[in-house]
PDB file of all heavy atoms in Angstrom:
ATOM      1  N   ASN A  51     107.517  64.137 108.313  1.00 88.00           N
ATOM      2  CA  ASN A  51     108.079  62.778 108.262  1.00 88.00           C
ATOM      3  C   ASN A  51     109.285  62.631 109.212  1.00 88.00           C
ATOM      4  O   ASN A  51     109.765  63.593 109.800  1.00 88.00           O
ATOM      5  CB  ASN A  51     108.497  62.443 106.830  1.00 88.00           C
ATOM      6  CG  ASN A  51     109.418  63.504 106.285  1.00 88.00           C
ATOM      7  OD1 ASN A  51     110.505  63.712 106.815  1.00 88.00           O
ATOM      8  ND2 ASN A  51     108.979  64.224 105.269  1.00 88.00           N
ATOM      9  N   LYS A  66      95.083  88.806  97.875  1.00 79.00           N
ATOM     10  CA  LYS A  66      95.015  88.725  96.415  1.00 79.00           C
ATOM     11  C   LYS A  66      96.419  88.596  95.820  1.00 79.00           C
ATOM     12  O   LYS A  66      97.403  88.831  96.539  1.00 79.00           O
ATOM     13  CB  LYS A  66      94.298  89.946  95.837  1.00 79.00           C
ATOM     14  CG  LYS A  66      95.084  91.241  95.926  1.00 79.00           C
ATOM     15  CD  LYS A  66      94.235  92.402  95.533  1.00 79.00           C
ATOM     16  CE  LYS A  66      94.466  92.919  94.132  1.00 79.00           C
ATOM     17  NZ  LYS A  66      95.776  93.506  93.847  1.00 79.00           N
ATOM     18  N   SER A  76     110.502  85.252  99.791  1.00 98.00           N
ATOM     19  CA  SER A  76     111.900  84.990  99.422  1.00 98.00           C
ATOM     20  C   SER A  76     112.841  85.863 100.256  1.00 98.00           C
ATOM     21  O   SER A  76     113.860  85.376 100.775  1.00 98.00           O
ATOM     22  CB  SER A  76     112.136  85.307  97.939  1.00 98.00           C
ATOM     23  OG  SER A  76     111.215  84.607  97.153  1.00 98.00           O
ATOM     24  N   ALA A  79     113.154  84.647 103.776  1.00 98.00           N
ATOM     25  CA  ALA A  79     114.005  83.461 103.855  1.00 98.00           C
ATOM     26  C   ALA A  79     115.483  83.851 103.757  1.00 98.00           C
ATOM     27  O   ALA A  79     116.328  83.333 104.506  1.00 98.00           O
ATOM     28  CB  ALA A  79     113.635  82.472 102.750  1.00 98.00           C
ATOM     29  N   SER A  84     120.566  84.432 106.404  1.00 96.00           N
ATOM     30  CA  SER A  84     121.740  85.276 106.668  1.00 96.00           C
ATOM     31  C   SER A  84     121.965  85.460 108.164  1.00 96.00           C
ATOM     32  O   SER A  84     123.048  85.828 108.597  1.00 96.00           O
ATOM     33  CB  SER A  84     121.595  86.633 105.976  1.00 96.00           C
ATOM     34  OG  SER A  84     120.655  87.420 106.673  1.00 96.00           O
ATOM     35  N   ALA A  90     113.914  77.155 105.114  1.00 98.00           N
ATOM     36  CA  ALA A  90     113.297  76.455 103.987  1.00 98.00           C
ATOM     37  C   ALA A  90     112.097  77.246 103.495  1.00 98.00           C
ATOM     38  O   ALA A  90     111.512  78.042 104.238  1.00 98.00           O
ATOM     39  CB  ALA A  90     112.860  75.060 104.416  1.00 98.00           C
ATOM     40  N   GLY A  98     100.677  79.491  90.795  1.00 83.00           N
ATOM     41  CA  GLY A  98     101.558  80.594  90.347  1.00 83.00           C
ATOM     42  C   GLY A  98     102.895  80.513  91.030  1.00 83.00           C
ATOM     43  O   GLY A  98     103.314  81.441  91.714  1.00 83.00           O
ATOM     44  N   GLY A 117     111.367  59.506  99.890  1.00 88.00           N
ATOM     45  CA  GLY A 117     110.678  60.777  99.648  1.00 88.00           C
ATOM     46  C   GLY A 117     111.449  61.660  98.694  1.00 88.00           C
ATOM     47  O   GLY A 117     112.378  61.208  98.012  1.00 88.00           O
ATOM     48  N   LYS A 124     121.635  79.042  96.406  1.00 97.00           N
ATOM     49  CA  LYS A 124     123.079  79.288  96.544  1.00 97.00           C
ATOM     50  C   LYS A 124     123.468  79.484  98.005  1.00 97.00           C
ATOM     51  O   LYS A 124     124.526  79.056  98.449  1.00 97.00           O
ATOM     52  CB  LYS A 124     123.483  80.502  95.705  1.00 97.00           C
ATOM     53  CG  LYS A 124     123.368  80.192  94.218  1.00 97.00           C
ATOM     54  CD  LYS A 124     123.540  81.411  93.344  1.00 97.00           C
ATOM     55  CE  LYS A 124     123.019  81.156  91.945  1.00 97.00           C
ATOM     56  NZ  LYS A 124     121.549  81.183  91.824  1.00 97.00           N
ATOM     57  N   VAL A 129     114.232  74.465  99.168  1.00 97.00           N
ATOM     58  CA  VAL A 129     113.016  74.886  98.465  1.00 97.00           C
ATOM     59  C   VAL A 129     112.292  73.687  97.870  1.00 97.00           C
ATOM     60  O   VAL A 129     112.918  72.807  97.286  1.00 97.00           O
ATOM     61  CB  VAL A 129     113.389  75.859  97.297  1.00 97.00           C
ATOM     62  CG1 VAL A 129     112.179  76.183  96.432  1.00 97.00           C
ATOM     63  CG2 VAL A 129     114.016  77.152  97.833  1.00 97.00           C
ATOM     64  N   MET A 130     110.974  73.648  98.041  1.00 96.00           N
ATOM     65  CA  MET A 130     110.177  72.692  97.269  1.00 96.00           C
ATOM     66  C   MET A 130     109.013  73.442  96.641  1.00 96.00           C
ATOM     67  O   MET A 130     108.361  74.259  97.286  1.00 96.00           O
ATOM     68  CB  MET A 130     109.661  71.555  98.155  1.00 96.00           C
ATOM     69  CG  MET A 130     108.873  70.506  97.395  1.00 96.00           C
ATOM     70  SD  MET A 130     109.631  69.912  95.852  1.00 96.00           S
ATOM     71  CE  MET A 130     110.977  68.918  96.455  1.00 96.00           C
ATOM     72  N   GLY A 152      96.237  68.589  98.002  1.00 88.00           N
ATOM     73  CA  GLY A 152      96.930  67.309  98.215  1.00 88.00           C
ATOM     74  C   GLY A 152      98.426  67.454  97.961  1.00 88.00           C
ATOM     75  O   GLY A 152      99.253  66.932  98.719  1.00 88.00           O
ATOM     76  N   MET A 162     111.939  65.403 102.336  1.00 96.00           N
ATOM     77  CA  MET A 162     112.891  65.202 103.440  1.00 96.00           C
ATOM     78  C   MET A 162     113.609  66.533 103.682  1.00 96.00           C
ATOM     79  O   MET A 162     114.649  66.818 103.096  1.00 96.00           O
ATOM     80  CB  MET A 162     113.853  64.078 103.073  1.00 96.00           C
ATOM     81  CG  MET A 162     113.083  62.748 102.940  1.00 96.00           C
ATOM     82  SD  MET A 162     114.101  61.366 102.492  1.00 96.00           S
ATOM     83  CE  MET A 162     114.315  61.634 100.761  1.00 96.00           C
ATOM     84  N   PRO A 175      97.274  82.540  97.111  1.00 80.00           N
ATOM     85  CA  PRO A 175      96.600  83.806  97.396  1.00 80.00           C
ATOM     86  C   PRO A 175      95.100  83.625  97.581  1.00 80.00           C
ATOM     87  O   PRO A 175      94.528  82.635  97.146  1.00 80.00           O
ATOM     88  CB  PRO A 175      96.890  84.643  96.138  1.00 80.00           C
ATOM     89  CG  PRO A 175      97.165  83.660  95.065  1.00 80.00           C
ATOM     90  CD  PRO A 175      97.722  82.436  95.719  1.00 80.00           C
ATOM     91  N   VAL A 184      95.182  74.526 103.454  1.00 85.00           N
ATOM     92  CA  VAL A 184      96.565  74.671 103.907  1.00 85.00           C
ATOM     93  C   VAL A 184      96.589  75.147 105.364  1.00 85.00           C
ATOM     94  O   VAL A 184      97.352  74.642 106.191  1.00 85.00           O
ATOM     95  CB  VAL A 184      97.352  75.659 103.000  1.00 85.00           C
ATOM     96  CG1 VAL A 184      98.782  75.805 103.472  1.00 85.00           C
ATOM     97  CG2 VAL A 184      97.321  75.184 101.563  1.00 85.00           C
ATOM     98  N   LEU A 188      98.706  72.385 107.643  1.00 91.00           N
ATOM     99  CA  LEU A 188     100.082  72.647 108.072  1.00 91.00           C
ATOM    100  C   LEU A 188     100.097  73.214 109.495  1.00 91.00           C
ATOM    101  O   LEU A 188      99.241  74.034 109.836  1.00 91.00           O
ATOM    102  CB  LEU A 188     100.762  73.645 107.131  1.00 91.00           C
ATOM    103  CG  LEU A 188     100.902  73.261 105.662  1.00 91.00           C
ATOM    104  CD1 LEU A 188     101.790  74.267 104.946  1.00 91.00           C
ATOM    105  CD2 LEU A 188     101.473  71.881 105.495  1.00 91.00           C
ATOM    106  N   ASP A 191     102.826  78.210 112.828  1.00 94.00           N
ATOM    107  CA  ASP A 191     103.024  78.897 114.111  1.00 94.00           C
ATOM    108  C   ASP A 191     102.490  80.317 114.038  1.00 94.00           C
ATOM    109  O   ASP A 191     102.303  80.966 115.071  1.00 94.00           O
ATOM    110  CB  ASP A 191     104.516  78.941 114.455  1.00 94.00           C
ATOM    111  CG  ASP A 191     105.027  77.546 114.766  1.00 94.00           C
ATOM    112  OD1 ASP A 191     104.628  77.007 115.797  1.00 94.00           O
ATOM    113  OD2 ASP A 191     105.783  76.986 113.943  1.00 94.00           O
ATOM    114  N   ASP A 201      93.395 100.945  98.376  1.00 67.00           N
ATOM    115  CA  ASP A 201      92.182 100.888  99.190  1.00 67.00           C
ATOM    116  C   ASP A 201      91.560  99.500  99.263  1.00 67.00           C
ATOM    117  O   ASP A 201      91.284  98.958 100.325  1.00 67.00           O
ATOM    118  CB  ASP A 201      91.159 101.833  98.550  1.00 67.00           C
ATOM    119  CG  ASP A 201      90.530 102.702  99.597  1.00 67.00           C
ATOM    120  OD1 ASP A 201      90.805 102.480 100.797  1.00 67.00           O
ATOM    121  OD2 ASP A 201      89.755 103.568  99.231  1.00 67.00           O
ATOM    122  N   LYS A 209      89.947  90.167 105.207  1.00 87.00           N
ATOM    123  CA  LYS A 209      89.465  88.811 104.911  1.00 87.00           C
ATOM    124  C   LYS A 209      90.512  87.773 105.319  1.00 87.00           C
ATOM    125  O   LYS A 209      90.203  86.770 105.941  1.00 87.00           O
ATOM    126  CB  LYS A 209      89.179  88.668 103.409  1.00 87.00           C
ATOM    127  CG  LYS A 209      87.826  89.196 102.984  1.00 87.00           C
ATOM    128  CD  LYS A 209      87.629  88.824 101.516  1.00 87.00           C
ATOM    129  CE  LYS A 209      86.631  89.740 100.849  1.00 87.00           C
ATOM    130  NZ  LYS A 209      85.270  89.285 100.928  1.00 87.00           N
ATOM    131  N   ILE A 219      94.921  80.696 114.129  1.00 93.00           N
ATOM    132  CA  ILE A 219      96.352  80.817 113.809  1.00 93.00           C
ATOM    133  C   ILE A 219      96.802  82.239 114.167  1.00 93.00           C
ATOM    134  O   ILE A 219      96.166  83.209 113.734  1.00 93.00           O
ATOM    135  CB  ILE A 219      96.609  80.503 112.318  1.00 93.00           C
ATOM    136  CG1 ILE A 219      96.256  79.041 112.063  1.00 93.00           C
ATOM    137  CG2 ILE A 219      98.047  80.793 111.937  1.00 93.00           C
ATOM    138  CD1 ILE A 219      96.193  78.655 110.643  1.00 93.00           C
ATOM    139  N   ILE A 221      98.296  85.821 114.148  1.00 95.00           N
ATOM    140  CA  ILE A 221      98.673  86.746 113.075  1.00 95.00           C
ATOM    141  C   ILE A 221      99.844  87.571 113.613  1.00 95.00           C
ATOM    142  O   ILE A 221      99.692  88.352 114.546  1.00 95.00           O
ATOM    143  CB  ILE A 221      97.485  87.636 112.666  1.00 95.00           C
ATOM    144  CG1 ILE A 221      96.396  86.746 112.051  1.00 95.00           C
ATOM    145  CG2 ILE A 221      97.895  88.691 111.650  1.00 95.00           C
ATOM    146  CD1 ILE A 221      95.105  86.769 112.732  1.00 95.00           C
ATOM    147  N   GLU A 226     103.825  95.902 104.604  1.00 94.00           N
ATOM    148  CA  GLU A 226     103.340  96.681 103.470  1.00 94.00           C
ATOM    149  C   GLU A 226     104.421  96.701 102.402  1.00 94.00           C
ATOM    150  O   GLU A 226     105.509  97.236 102.630  1.00 94.00           O
ATOM    151  CB  GLU A 226     102.976  98.105 103.886  1.00 94.00           C
ATOM    152  CG  GLU A 226     102.309  98.845 102.726  1.00 94.00           C
ATOM    153  CD  GLU A 226     101.796 100.201 103.130  1.00 94.00           C
ATOM    154  OE1 GLU A 226     102.619 101.080 103.462  1.00 94.00           O
ATOM    155  OE2 GLU A 226     100.578 100.399 103.119  1.00 94.00           O
ATOM    156  N   HIS A 237     116.040 111.668  97.664  1.00 89.00           N
ATOM    157  CA  HIS A 237     115.628 110.789  98.778  1.00 89.00           C
ATOM    158  C   HIS A 237     114.253 111.114  99.357  1.00 89.00           C
ATOM    159  O   HIS A 237     113.899 110.668 100.430  1.00 89.00           O
ATOM    160  CB  HIS A 237     116.692 110.756  99.894  1.00 89.00           C
ATOM    161  CG  HIS A 237     118.000 110.208  99.385  1.00 89.00           C
ATOM    162  ND1 HIS A 237     118.165 108.897  99.040  1.00 89.00           N
ATOM    163  CD2 HIS A 237     119.169 110.829  99.110  1.00 89.00           C
ATOM    164  CE1 HIS A 237     119.382 108.702  98.587  1.00 89.00           C
ATOM    165  NE2 HIS A 237     120.026 109.865  98.608  1.00 89.00           N
ATOM    166  N   PHE A 243     101.120 104.564  95.172  1.00 81.00           N
ATOM    167  CA  PHE A 243      99.791 103.936  95.186  1.00 81.00           C
ATOM    168  C   PHE A 243      98.821 104.654  96.121  1.00 81.00           C
ATOM    169  O   PHE A 243      97.867 104.069  96.593  1.00 81.00           O
ATOM    170  CB  PHE A 243      99.897 102.462  95.597  1.00 81.00           C
ATOM    171  CG  PHE A 243     100.577 101.608  94.573  1.00 81.00           C
ATOM    172  CD1 PHE A 243     101.611 100.758  94.921  1.00 81.00           C
ATOM    173  CD2 PHE A 243     100.172 101.642  93.249  1.00 81.00           C
ATOM    174  CE1 PHE A 243     102.241  99.963  93.968  1.00 81.00           C
ATOM    175  CE2 PHE A 243     100.790 100.858  92.285  1.00 81.00           C
ATOM    176  CZ  PHE A 243     101.826 100.015  92.650  1.00 81.00           C
ATOM    177  N   GLY A 276     116.523  85.818  88.891  1.00 97.00           N
ATOM    178  CA  GLY A 276     116.803  84.650  89.732  1.00 97.00           C
ATOM    179  C   GLY A 276     117.884  84.916  90.758  1.00 97.00           C
ATOM    180  O   GLY A 276     118.578  83.994  91.193  1.00 97.00           O
ATOM    181  N   LEU A 280     120.665  88.369  96.196  1.00 98.00           N
ATOM    182  CA  LEU A 280     121.564  89.531  96.121  1.00 98.00           C
ATOM    183  C   LEU A 280     120.870  90.844  96.473  1.00 98.00           C
ATOM    184  O   LEU A 280     121.503  91.908  96.461  1.00 98.00           O
ATOM    185  CB  LEU A 280     122.168  89.638  94.705  1.00 98.00           C
ATOM    186  CG  LEU A 280     122.999  88.434  94.237  1.00 98.00           C
ATOM    187  CD1 LEU A 280     123.536  88.690  92.826  1.00 98.00           C
ATOM    188  CD2 LEU A 280     124.157  88.161  95.203  1.00 98.00           C
TER     189      LEU A 280
END
Side-chain angles (χ1 to χ4, degrees):
N51 54 62
K66 71 189 259 295
S76 306
S84 74
K124 291 171 197 76
V129 173
M130 182 47 72
M162 295 179 282
V184 180
L188 299 189
D191 292 291
D201 227 354
K209 278 187 203 270
I219 295 168
I221 295 120
E226 187 174 66
H237 298 291
F243 291 130
L280 300 180

